[in-house]
Amino acid sequence: MDRRDWIEKRKHIEDRESKERAIVEKLLPFLEGKIVAGYMPILGEVDVTRFLGERIQYLPKTDPRSNRIRFEKFDPETKLEKGHFNVMEPPIDPLSDPSQIDVILVPLVAFSNTNRLGYGKGYYDRYLKTSKALHIGLAFEEQEGEFMIQPWDVALDYIITDKRILAKKKRR
């Protein structure tokens, strides 16, 4: 399957709300006392924002000129604006300090082990490569499958689905 097929499949996942609740239950222990960066879901991505509320303190903002993302401070009072790819994003906040982020929740199109298939632009891979935060992908179990892993792809520390938690294998 290609990205379009995976995205279309993800849009038609049934019993979505109960599956998202199951993902949140597995996710909560990773977030206790942590500064968390989330994302605003698009195209059928796992939506945990409605369950986590104020636990999400940062959101990504894309810069299409540099093909990079940065994380901006966010609170429920922040007025979001439509950004690149029609994703709702926070405005730039000069007081944001993304080095404080402990956990980054990462959207994905598909997964295999803790490898993530994204949208193909490399925004998250470039950011995650330099981040010391814990990287957790959120997915529905139906998003598991085979795809080509590229040398520049960054494996996540964990992928949490509605059924299980996958952990990256440590090198010996």
Side-chain angles (χ1 to χ4, degrees):
M1 286 203 295
D2 69 10
R3 279 184 179 81
R4 285 185 307 263
D5 296 329
W6 282 111
I7 292 167
E8 204 53 40
K9 180 178 182 178
R10 185 179 64 195
K11 286 180 184 176
H12 295 92
I13 289 175
E14 295 181 7
D15 200 19
R16 182 176 287 275
E17 186 172 335
S18 70
K19 289 178 181 180
E20 288 169 341
R21 284 184 195 279
I23 291 167
V24 168
E25 284 178 28
K26 290 173 188 61
L27 176 62
L28 284 175
F30 291 94
L31 307 184
E32 286 303 314
K34 306 291 186 204
I35 295 175
V36 180
Y39 61 89
M40 295 305 292
I42 60 168
L43 303 172
E45 290 171 342
V46 171
D47 181 1
V48 297
T49 55
R50 64 179 163 206
F51 303 110
L52 295 178
E54 293 182 12
R55 289 183 188 253
I56 295 176
Q57 294 123 331
Y58 284 82
L59 287 175
K61 183 160 187 75
T62 56
D63 179 358
R65 292 179 307 259
S66 67
N67 281 342
R68 297 201 177 274
I69 57 170
R70 59 174 277 138
F71 284 90
E72 298 292 342
K73 197 95 169 116
F74 166 76
D75 67 61
E77 303 300 311
T78 303
K79 182 166 174 34
L80 299 177
E81 50 199 35
K82 195 175 282 194
H84 201 61
F85 307 114
N86 292 320
V87 177
M88 298 306 288
E89 300 178 341
I92 290 177
D93 179 351
L95 300 178
S96 285
D97 181 5
S99 69
Q100 295 181 350
I101 296 171
D102 299 309
V103 178
I104 299 174
L105 305 179
V106 184
L108 49 90
V109 173
F111 71 93
S112 175
N113 297 312
T114 59
N115 294 300
R116 161 190 179 272
L117 179 68
Y119 292 98
K121 301 287 186 195
Y123 283 85
Y124 271 93
D125 289 317
R126 277 187 287 284
Y127 190 88
L128 297 176
K129 198 173 288 184
T130 63
S131 167
K132 297 194 184 327
L134 190 64
H135 310 141
I136 302 176
L138 304 179
F140 297 106
E141 193 69 25
E142 295 90 335
Q143 291 176 259
E144 184 175 26
E146 298 297 317
F147 52 88
M148 182 71 73
I149 298 165
Q150 303 297 334
W152 53 83
D153 289 340
V154 175
L156 302 176
D157 297 308
Y158 295 94
I159 291 187
I160 299 178
T161 76
D162 46 302
K163 301 234 186 278
R164 60 199 164 127
I165 298 173
L166 296 126
K168 181 166 69 174
K169 291 181 175 53
K170 305 285 185 215
R171 288 195 175 153
R172 295 180 188 207

